Amino acid sequence: MTTFIIENSYNGILSAIFYSYLNKIKPDNVVSFHHQIGFYEKFISVPTNIENANRVDSKLQSILSPLNYKYLINAVRSNNENKHFIIFNYVRRIIDAKRDISNNFSNEDIFLYNRLVSPIFLEAHRFLGFIRFQKTKDGIYYSAFKPDNDIAELILPHFIKRYKTMPFILHDLKHDKIIGYNDGRYKIVEEKMPKLEISNDDISKLFKKYYQTIYIPERKNLKQMLNYMPKRYHAFIVEKNELL
Amino acid sequence: MISVDKLKILTDSAKFDVSCSSSGSSRKNTATGIGNGYYGGICHSFTEDGRCVSLLKILMTNICVYNCAYCNSRCSNDVPRAIASPNEICELTMEFYKRNYIEGLFLSSAVYKNADYTMELLLETVIKLRKLYNFNGYIHLKGIPGADRSLIMRAGEYVDRMSFNLELPSEKSLRLLAPQKTKKAIITPISMIHEEKATYTSKKNRFLPAGQTTQMIVGASPESDFQILKLTEALYKKYKMKRVYYSSYVPVNTTSSLLPTLPVGLLREHRLYQADWLVRFYGFNVGELIKEGENLPMEYDPKCWWALNHPELFPVEINTAPVEMLARIPGIGLRSAYKIISARRYSRLDLNSLRKMKIPLKRAIHFITFNGKFIGLESEKQIKQALIVNDLNSSYTQLTMFSNNEIIASVLNGEL
């Protein structure tokens, strides 16, 4: 049982790939530093080497379609605890095949990888709609949210285009990531958020009333609603949380 | 800012206009504006009836001079009335939009004083929203039938989508239940907009980028599903309608003897939407799904029913069938068909490969072979029995048909 231990990043995985091909070692598992290691496992710590990672990266970029490449570089955003191994195996398959076989769904490694990546982008799309802003007394629009996957950077471009002239903050509470935007520029920080004063206008009250009123009781279907809008997101959705 | 009570009245009156989508427009933001379109549409929230909330859907006013029998806002009905000013609507839209509650505005109205006066008020609102408030998000505007052509054409330059409701599936029913709305008054603007949009493709200024839709009430009048679907098919072909919506009739404080006293089961509406999907995306003709004067069966979804009636075309070999035929297999929808044709370029597929790809096989196994091998039931009668949707409560009050797991599954993943 050989386990590679890598940095939790895309470059970390590519470094492991390079190491694997160079030393002709096929690991039984690939995990990141803060994973639990079994007592009898033989582990090899693979440091991240940017040069080697870039070599693998350019090879992948030449094989994969632009869309599949985009999926790959964002695959580490997943919250799946086995993501490093799954992505590792997918990359191996691509390199061995020398062509883009990402659609070969009957292959187990590719299928698992697909199941890893799809939820990331599905969640990012959902959050385009689920993000709710509150207006602070300084006129900044602040949004706190807790996504399963690390999607803040994926949704940022959409909000920049939409709210060009409006300063806003996206605060991912689960991944401790804060993105601030103002006047054409943005910054990503991972510090603690200073306390913001939310201004007490009645807009959220109006929206709650609106949300209650458009509901047609004769068509009640909680199961369908929860399927589209899972309960774990409700805490930050103003019309679903009485405290907001 | 608009008051909570006024918002409640104007929202309550708008909720039976079921059109909710915010798709079809890739409108760009401007340097000083707020908002843009998102082509696929975005669902911002979901109500407890499971429907998506994408737009701020309100009436400008529910004060109406018409007296349509099925409508809660008809002039002979005693309900609280209100009217909002263009500024009130614009302000509310902007405040909701900035907080990412909505994709945009869905603005409708009762007929206030007369059709032209109402249309002018609506037009004033959308022009203000675009020009004064610099709003570049989605606007869906309801058209008032009978309003002047110039007002309607002008509106098309500012909004993303317009719709004129057919209300009922036949002229006869329209005359009976909404005599003040004539078929001519509804069809004329639909036709006008279609012609205008066709000529606009070469010009720089866009006209109604997301096209037009319409809606009809199902279950308030005696037309068969065949009639409704034939009408739907014609609307898509002739006017390039983006979507035809069906609104299940729900009695709202009605005293008219012309209307049923109980609401229509949602299952009928669901079957109509399934048939609508098959016509638009699966290449079916209405004539394949249903015969003249008939209604769609409740116990089977339309695609399953079609397959059961065409045993000569099955079983289909998974590894060689064309994608159109794969999509016609009960239980296998467009997404699964795509997965199959992608995967079979690399290797021959068998039962295990389909299972690994999570393709729903419960119904499909009776209609397919893997490399010639067939594991479904042999006789047609057995297959029919296996596929029937059980536990159908035929009572009219069974509106929550989503208590049946098979139907839930079909609605959730869109696969038929």
Side-chain angles (χ1 to χ4, degrees), chain B residues 96-154:
Chain B
F96 279 2
Y97 192 82
K98 285 193 208 171
R99 286 161 178 73
N100 204 47
Y101 296 163
I102 54 174
E103 272 304 282
L105 173 67
F106 179 108
L107 185 61
S108 182
S109 183
V111 183
Y112 179 61
K113 297 199 185 174
N114 61 56
D116 280 345
Y117 190 85
T118 313
M119 198 69 211
E120 272 172 13
L121 272 178
L122 294 175
L123 190 58
E124 186 190 330
T125 310
V126 302
I127 293 179
K128 253 194 178 129
L129 196 51
R130 289 278 187 236
K131 294 290 164 193
L132 202 60
Y133 289 81
N134 275 319
F135 177 72
N136 295 311
Y138 197 88
I139 303 180
H140 181 148
L141 182 67
K142 298 300 292 193
I144 309 293
D148 188 78
R149 182 208 159 92
S150 60
L151 295 171
I152 295 171
M153 288 300 137
R154 189 112 191 271

Side-chain angles (χ1 to χ4, degrees), chain A residues 5-27:
Chain A
I5 306 182
I6 60 168
E7 183 188 69
N8 177 19
S9 71
Y10 176 61
N11 283 331
I13 297 176
L14 296 190
S15 303
I17 289 278
F18 190 89
Y19 184 91
S20 168
Y21 277 93
L22 183 68
N23 297 298
K24 297 200 175 23
I25 301 176
K26 194 172 160 211

Side-chain angles (χ1 to χ4, degrees), chain B residues 132-383:
Chain B
L132 202 60
Y133 289 81
N134 275 319
F135 177 72
N136 295 311
Y138 197 88
I139 303 180
H140 181 148
L141 182 67
K142 298 300 292 193
I144 309 293
D148 188 78
R149 182 208 159 92
S150 60
L151 295 171
I152 295 171
M153 288 300 137
R154 189 112 191 271
E157 294 170 27
Y158 292 94
V159 306
D160 295 282
R161 176 169 283 180
M162 275 186 87
S163 50
F164 292 85
N165 285 354
L166 248 52
E167 303 297 4
L168 294 153
S170 71
E171 192 173 0
K172 179 168 170 209
S173 294
L174 191 67
R175 255 186 266 138
L176 206 58
L177 298 171
Q180 288 143 315
K181 293 186 179 173
T182 65
K183 177 180 169 185
K184 180 159 180 264
I186 300 171
I187 293 288
T188 307
I190 290 177
S191 176
M192 258 201 289
I193 287 177
H194 168 69
E195 277 169 29
E196 183 71 16
K197 191 153 159 62
T199 66
Y200 237 90
T201 46
S202 53
K203 298 186 189 172
K204 193 171 183 215
N205 270 336
R206 301 177 66 193
F207 180 85
L208 226 53
Q212 51 175 336
T213 62
T214 189
Q215 167 172 300
M216 51 184 127
I217 302 171
V218 159
S221 49
E223 291 84 2
S224 65
D225 287 348
F226 175 79
Q227 217 172 334
I228 294 173
L229 287 171
K230 270 311 228 182
L231 175 58
T232 305
E233 198 180 37
L235 288 166
Y236 286 132
K237 285 213 175 87
K238 189 167 178 195
Y239 300 115
K240 301 278 188 296
M241 208 45 95
K242 290 289 183 191
R243 216 26 230 282
V244 174
Y245 290 95
Y246 307 111
S247 179
S248 262
Y249 174 63
V250 177
V252 276
N253 190 12
T254 182
T255 50
S256 169
S257 57
L258 300 164
L259 290 165
T261 46
L262 293 167
V264 170
L266 286 181
L267 186 54
R268 183 173 178 211
E269 183 196 286
H270 178 54
R271 293 281 182 243
L272 281 169
Y273 276 126
Q274 286 179 320
D276 169 275
W277 233 258
L278 292 176
V279 166
R280 280 190 297 139
F281 299 117
Y282 287 69
F284 278 87
N285 288 324
V286 173
E288 291 184 87
L289 297 169
I290 189 174
K291 293 203 207 37
E292 173 127 22
E294 278 183 1
N295 281 339
L296 293 165
M298 293 292 113
E299 331 77 66
Y300 301 102
D301 69 68
K303 197 172 93 168
C304 202
W305 182 240
W306 175 84
L308 289 170
N309 286 328
H310 290 270
E312 71 278 7
L313 295 175
F314 296 98
V316 153
E317 171 55 49
I318 276 288
N319 284 289
T320 54
V323 67
E324 301 83 17
M325 203 53 213
L326 288 176
R328 288 190 173 218
I329 300 167
I332 293 184
L334 290 177
R335 244 183 280 183
S336 295
Y338 164 75
K339 274 194 217 163
I340 291 172
I341 58 170
S342 295
R344 72 184 186 190
R345 282 164 58 204
Y346 300 95
S347 57
R348 284 201 88 84
L349 302 178
D350 59 15
L351 180 64
N352 280 324
S353 17
L354 290 196
R355 281 221 178 96
K356 265 200 278 176
M357 291 193 275
K358 298 273 157 79
I359 295 191
L361 287 176
K362 183 174 164 207
R363 288 187 282 169
I365 42 168
H366 306 295
F367 298 92
I368 56 178
T369 57
F370 320 86
N371 292 321
K373 195 166 159 206
F374 179 74
I375 59 167
L377 293 171
E378 287 296 341
S379 83
E380 278 172 38
K381 190 160 176 219
Q382 280 182 314
I383 300 177

Side-chain angles (χ1 to χ4, degrees), chain A residues 53-110:
Chain A
N54 284 340
R55 279 175 68 177
V56 183
D57 180 57
S58 42
K59 176 125 192 132
L60 289 169
Q61 220 175 342
S62 70
I63 298 176
L64 292 172
S65 71
L67 186 64
N68 287 328
Y69 180 71
K70 172 184 157 191
Y71 288 149
L72 177 60
I73 56 180
N74 286 303
V76 274
R77 297 186 181 280
S78 169
N79 65 337
N80 186 323
E81 50 188 21
N82 297 317
K83 64 184 173 188
H84 304 97
F85 192 43
I86 293 175
I87 300 170
F88 181 90
N89 287 330
Y90 167 78
V91 172
R92 278 196 55 130
R93 290 281 176 192
I94 296 291
I95 292 180
D96 288 343
K98 297 192 184 66
R99 58 191 181 105
D100 189 349
I101 55 164
S102 308
N103 284 341
N104 185 4
F105 298 122
S106 60
N107 177 298
E108 180 124 19
D109 290 330
I110 298 199

Side-chain angles (χ1 to χ4, degrees), chain A residues 99-108 111 115 125-135 141 158-166 199 201 203-207 209-211 213-225 227-229 237-240, chain B residues 1-2 4 7-8 11-12 15-16 29-36 38 41-51 53 55-57 92 95-101 103 250 266 269 338-339 342-343 346-347 349 353 356-358 399-400 402 405 408 411-412:
Chain A
R99 58 191 181 105
D100 189 349
I101 55 164
S102 308
N103 284 341
N104 185 4
F105 298 122
S106 60
N107 177 298
E108 180 124 19
F111 182 74
R115 271 215 308 183
H125 176 78
R126 275 172 144 178
F127 267 89
L128 295 182
F130 293 160
I131 290 278
R132 298 273 182 274
F133 289 104
Q134 292 174 296
K135 192 173 178 184
Y141 286 83
H158 166 85
F159 289 111
I160 292 180
K161 277 192 279 188
R162 178 163 288 200
Y163 299 128
K164 205 173 283 195
T165 51
M166 211 174 87
S199 79
D201 51 37
I203 306 295
S204 56
K205 283 205 198 75
L206 281 168
F207 189 65
K209 191 52 139 180
Y210 172 71
Y211 175 77
T213 315
I214 35 164
Y215 164 50
I216 299 179
E218 288 85 354
R219 299 182 66 124
K220 182 167 180 159
N221 190 355
L222 283 178
K223 196 163 180 181
Q224 179 161 318
M225 182 203 77
N227 188 68
Y228 284 129
M229 193 159 76
I237 292 178
V238 65
E239 66 271 19
K240 283 320 226 176
Chain B
M1 190 60 62
I2 195 172
V4 175
L7 177 62
K8 180 170 192 304
T11 303
D12 228 339
K15 67 191 187 188
F16 291 106
N29 199 357
T30 54
T32 52
I34 292 275
N36 61 0
Y38 184 90
I42 295 176
C43 294
H44 284 261
S45 188
F46 295 87
T47 49
E48 286 178 6
D49 50 42
R51 295 178 308 141
V53 178
L55 304 169
L56 168 62
K57 190 188 296 184
L92 187 64
E95 291 305 320
F96 279 2
Y97 192 82
K98 285 193 208 171
R99 286 161 178 73
N100 204 47
Y101 296 163
E103 272 304 282
V250 177
L266 286 181
E269 183 196 286
Y338 164 75
K339 274 194 217 163
S342 295
Y346 300 95
S347 57
L349 302 178
S353 17
K356 265 200 278 176
M357 291 193 275
K358 298 273 157 79
L399 269 174
T400 52
F402 294 102
N405 285 324
I408 295 172
V411 168
L412 290 182

